[in-house]
PDB file of all heavy atoms in Angstrom:
ATOM      1  N   PHE A 737     138.318  93.433 -32.938  1.00  0.00           N
ATOM      2  CA  PHE A 737     138.077  93.748 -34.343  1.00  0.00           C
ATOM      3  C   PHE A 737     136.606  94.043 -34.627  1.00  0.00           C
ATOM      4  O   PHE A 737     136.276  95.087 -35.204  1.00  0.00           O
ATOM      5  CB  PHE A 737     138.573  92.612 -35.249  1.00  0.00           C
ATOM      6  CG  PHE A 737     138.161  92.769 -36.680  1.00  0.00           C
ATOM      7  CD1 PHE A 737     138.756  93.739 -37.474  1.00  0.00           C
ATOM      8  CD2 PHE A 737     137.174  91.978 -37.235  1.00  0.00           C
ATOM      9  CE1 PHE A 737     138.378  93.905 -38.796  1.00  0.00           C
ATOM     10  CE2 PHE A 737     136.786  92.134 -38.555  1.00  0.00           C
ATOM     11  CZ  PHE A 737     137.397  93.093 -39.340  1.00  0.00           C
ATOM     12  N   LYS A 738     135.721  93.143 -34.244  1.00  0.00           N
ATOM     13  CA  LYS A 738     134.299  93.326 -34.550  1.00  0.00           C
ATOM     14  C   LYS A 738     133.746  94.591 -33.905  1.00  0.00           C
ATOM     15  O   LYS A 738     132.973  95.322 -34.523  1.00  0.00           O
ATOM     16  CB  LYS A 738     133.480  92.114 -34.095  1.00  0.00           C
ATOM     17  CG  LYS A 738     133.614  90.919 -35.005  1.00  0.00           C
ATOM     18  CD  LYS A 738     132.704  89.796 -34.573  1.00  0.00           C
ATOM     19  CE  LYS A 738     132.848  88.608 -35.497  1.00  0.00           C
ATOM     20  NZ  LYS A 738     131.997  87.495 -35.097  1.00  0.00           N
ATOM     21  N   ARG A 739     134.140  94.842 -32.668  1.00  0.00           N
ATOM     22  CA  ARG A 739     133.662  96.027 -31.959  1.00  0.00           C
ATOM     23  C   ARG A 739     134.138  97.301 -32.650  1.00  0.00           C
ATOM     24  O   ARG A 739     133.374  98.236 -32.852  1.00  0.00           O
ATOM     25  CB  ARG A 739     134.116  96.015 -30.510  1.00  0.00           C
ATOM     26  CG  ARG A 739     133.589  97.212 -29.720  1.00  0.00           C
ATOM     27  CD  ARG A 739     134.004  97.206 -28.271  1.00  0.00           C
ATOM     28  NE  ARG A 739     133.591  95.982 -27.613  1.00  0.00           N
ATOM     29  CZ  ARG A 739     134.385  95.283 -26.791  1.00  0.00           C
ATOM     30  NH1 ARG A 739     135.592  95.709 -26.527  1.00  0.00           N
ATOM     31  NH2 ARG A 739     133.957  94.185 -26.229  1.00  0.00           N
ATOM     32  N   SER A 740     135.408  97.333 -33.025  1.00  0.00           N
ATOM     33  CA  SER A 740     135.945  98.542 -33.659  1.00  0.00           C
ATOM     34  C   SER A 740     135.302  98.788 -35.021  1.00  0.00           C
ATOM     35  O   SER A 740     134.991  99.928 -35.371  1.00  0.00           O
ATOM     36  CB  SER A 740     137.469  98.470 -33.785  1.00  0.00           C
ATOM     37  OG  SER A 740     137.855  97.393 -34.594  1.00  0.00           O
ATOM     38  N   LEU A 741     135.051  97.731 -35.768  1.00  0.00           N
ATOM     39  CA  LEU A 741     134.393  97.868 -37.064  1.00  0.00           C
ATOM     40  C   LEU A 741     132.943  98.331 -36.889  1.00  0.00           C
ATOM     41  O   LEU A 741     132.457  99.173 -37.652  1.00  0.00           O
ATOM     42  CB  LEU A 741     134.457  96.553 -37.847  1.00  0.00           C
ATOM     43  CG  LEU A 741     134.102  96.632 -39.323  1.00  0.00           C
ATOM     44  CD1 LEU A 741     135.037  97.580 -40.060  1.00  0.00           C
ATOM     45  CD2 LEU A 741     134.152  95.256 -39.961  1.00  0.00           C
ATOM     46  N   ALA A 742     132.270  97.807 -35.872  1.00  0.00           N
ATOM     47  CA  ALA A 742     130.887  98.217 -35.605  1.00  0.00           C
ATOM     48  C   ALA A 742     130.819  99.687 -35.201  1.00  0.00           C
ATOM     49  O   ALA A 742     129.919 100.424 -35.643  1.00  0.00           O
ATOM     50  CB  ALA A 742     130.286  97.333 -34.512  1.00  0.00           C
ATOM     51  N   ILE A 743     131.751 100.138 -34.385  1.00  0.00           N
ATOM     52  CA  ILE A 743     131.788 101.547 -33.980  1.00  0.00           C
ATOM     53  C   ILE A 743     132.067 102.421 -35.199  1.00  0.00           C
ATOM     54  O   ILE A 743     131.397 103.439 -35.414  1.00  0.00           O
ATOM     55  CB  ILE A 743     132.826 101.764 -32.865  1.00  0.00           C
ATOM     56  CG1 ILE A 743     132.330 101.114 -31.571  1.00  0.00           C
ATOM     57  CG2 ILE A 743     133.118 103.258 -32.658  1.00  0.00           C
ATOM     58  CD1 ILE A 743     133.352 101.052 -30.471  1.00  0.00           C
ATOM     59  N   TYR A 744     133.020 102.038 -36.010  1.00  0.00           N
ATOM     60  CA  TYR A 744     133.341 102.784 -37.227  1.00  0.00           C
ATOM     61  C   TYR A 744     132.102 102.912 -38.118  1.00  0.00           C
ATOM     62  O   TYR A 744     131.754 104.005 -38.559  1.00  0.00           O
ATOM     63  CB  TYR A 744     134.478 102.092 -37.983  1.00  0.00           C
ATOM     64  CG  TYR A 744     134.796 102.750 -39.305  1.00  0.00           C
ATOM     65  CD1 TYR A 744     135.668 103.830 -39.364  1.00  0.00           C
ATOM     66  CD2 TYR A 744     134.211 102.313 -40.487  1.00  0.00           C
ATOM     67  CE1 TYR A 744     135.944 104.457 -40.565  1.00  0.00           C
ATOM     68  CE2 TYR A 744     134.478 102.936 -41.692  1.00  0.00           C
ATOM     69  CZ  TYR A 744     135.342 104.002 -41.728  1.00  0.00           C
ATOM     70  OH  TYR A 744     135.604 104.620 -42.919  1.00  0.00           O
ATOM     71  N   GLU A 745     131.452 101.785 -38.365  1.00  0.00           N
ATOM     72  CA  GLU A 745     130.279 101.807 -39.241  1.00  0.00           C
ATOM     73  C   GLU A 745     129.117 102.581 -38.625  1.00  0.00           C
ATOM     74  O   GLU A 745     128.375 103.258 -39.338  1.00  0.00           O
ATOM     75  CB  GLU A 745     129.845 100.388 -39.597  1.00  0.00           C
ATOM     76  CG  GLU A 745     130.765  99.737 -40.595  1.00  0.00           C
ATOM     77  CD  GLU A 745     130.181  98.464 -41.135  1.00  0.00           C
ATOM     78  OE1 GLU A 745     130.269  97.431 -40.425  1.00  0.00           O
ATOM     79  OE2 GLU A 745     129.621  98.501 -42.242  1.00  0.00           O
ATOM     80  N   GLY A 746     128.961 102.509 -37.315  1.00  0.00           N
ATOM     81  CA  GLY A 746     127.915 103.294 -36.658  1.00  0.00           C
ATOM     82  C   GLY A 746     128.133 104.783 -36.875  1.00  0.00           C
ATOM     83  O   GLY A 746     127.197 105.523 -37.192  1.00  0.00           O
ATOM     84  N   GLY A 747     129.368 105.231 -36.724  1.00  0.00           N
ATOM     85  CA  GLY A 747     129.697 106.631 -36.981  1.00  0.00           C
ATOM     86  C   GLY A 747     129.480 107.008 -38.432  1.00  0.00           C
ATOM     87  O   GLY A 747     128.984 108.098 -38.742  1.00  0.00           O
ATOM     88  N   LEU A 748     129.844 106.102 -39.328  1.00  0.00           N
ATOM     89  CA  LEU A 748     129.648 106.349 -40.756  1.00  0.00           C
ATOM     90  C   LEU A 748     128.165 106.468 -41.086  1.00  0.00           C
ATOM     91  O   LEU A 748     127.750 107.368 -41.814  1.00  0.00           O
ATOM     92  CB  LEU A 748     130.302 105.242 -41.583  1.00  0.00           C
ATOM     93  CG  LEU A 748     130.154 105.341 -43.097  1.00  0.00           C
ATOM     94  CD1 LEU A 748     130.714 106.672 -43.615  1.00  0.00           C
ATOM     95  CD2 LEU A 748     130.847 104.167 -43.783  1.00  0.00           C
ATOM     96  N   HIS A 749     127.363 105.590 -40.528  1.00  0.00           N
ATOM     97  CA  HIS A 749     125.919 105.618 -40.816  1.00  0.00           C
ATOM     98  C   HIS A 749     125.281 106.901 -40.306  1.00  0.00           C
ATOM     99  O   HIS A 749     124.437 107.501 -40.992  1.00  0.00           O
ATOM    100  CB  HIS A 749     125.235 104.394 -40.224  1.00  0.00           C
ATOM    101  CG  HIS A 749     125.675 103.106 -40.850  1.00  0.00           C
ATOM    102  ND1 HIS A 749     125.342 101.873 -40.349  1.00  0.00           N
ATOM    103  CD2 HIS A 749     126.455 102.855 -41.930  1.00  0.00           C
ATOM    104  CE1 HIS A 749     125.886 100.935 -41.095  1.00  0.00           C
ATOM    105  NE2 HIS A 749     126.562 101.502 -42.054  1.00  0.00           N
ATOM    106  N   LEU A 750     125.669 107.335 -39.113  1.00  0.00           N
ATOM    107  CA  LEU A 750     125.128 108.579 -38.568  1.00  0.00           C
ATOM    108  C   LEU A 750     125.566 109.771 -39.423  1.00  0.00           C
ATOM    109  O   LEU A 750     124.756 110.663 -39.724  1.00  0.00           O
ATOM    110  CB  LEU A 750     125.566 108.767 -37.116  1.00  0.00           C
ATOM    111  CG  LEU A 750     125.024 110.010 -36.399  1.00  0.00           C
ATOM    112  CD1 LEU A 750     123.504 110.041 -36.422  1.00  0.00           C
ATOM    113  CD2 LEU A 750     125.537 110.039 -34.962  1.00  0.00           C
ATOM    114  N   THR A 751     126.806 109.782 -39.839  1.00  0.00           N
ATOM    115  CA  THR A 751     127.311 110.855 -40.695  1.00  0.00           C
ATOM    116  C   THR A 751     126.552 110.887 -42.018  1.00  0.00           C
ATOM    117  O   THR A 751     126.134 111.955 -42.485  1.00  0.00           O
ATOM    118  CB  THR A 751     128.820 110.677 -40.941  1.00  0.00           C
ATOM    119  OG1 THR A 751     129.503 110.706 -39.682  1.00  0.00           O
ATOM    120  CG2 THR A 751     129.377 111.746 -41.851  1.00  0.00           C
ATOM    121  N   ILE A 752     126.356 109.724 -42.618  1.00  0.00           N
ATOM    122  CA  ILE A 752     125.617 109.635 -43.888  1.00  0.00           C
ATOM    123  C   ILE A 752     124.181 110.126 -43.698  1.00  0.00           C
ATOM    124  O   ILE A 752     123.670 110.900 -44.523  1.00  0.00           O
ATOM    125  CB  ILE A 752     125.630 108.182 -44.415  1.00  0.00           C
ATOM    126  CG1 ILE A 752     127.027 107.813 -44.912  1.00  0.00           C
ATOM    127  CG2 ILE A 752     124.593 107.992 -45.525  1.00  0.00           C
ATOM    128  CD1 ILE A 752     127.202 106.332 -45.199  1.00  0.00           C
TER     129      ILE A 752
END
Side-chain angles (χ1 to χ4, degrees):
F737 171 72
K738 284 185 180 179
R739 182 179 304 136
S740 62
L741 194 60
I743 290 170
Y744 176 85
E745 286 191 280
L748 179 57
H749 295 170
L750 182 57
T751 300
I752 289 169

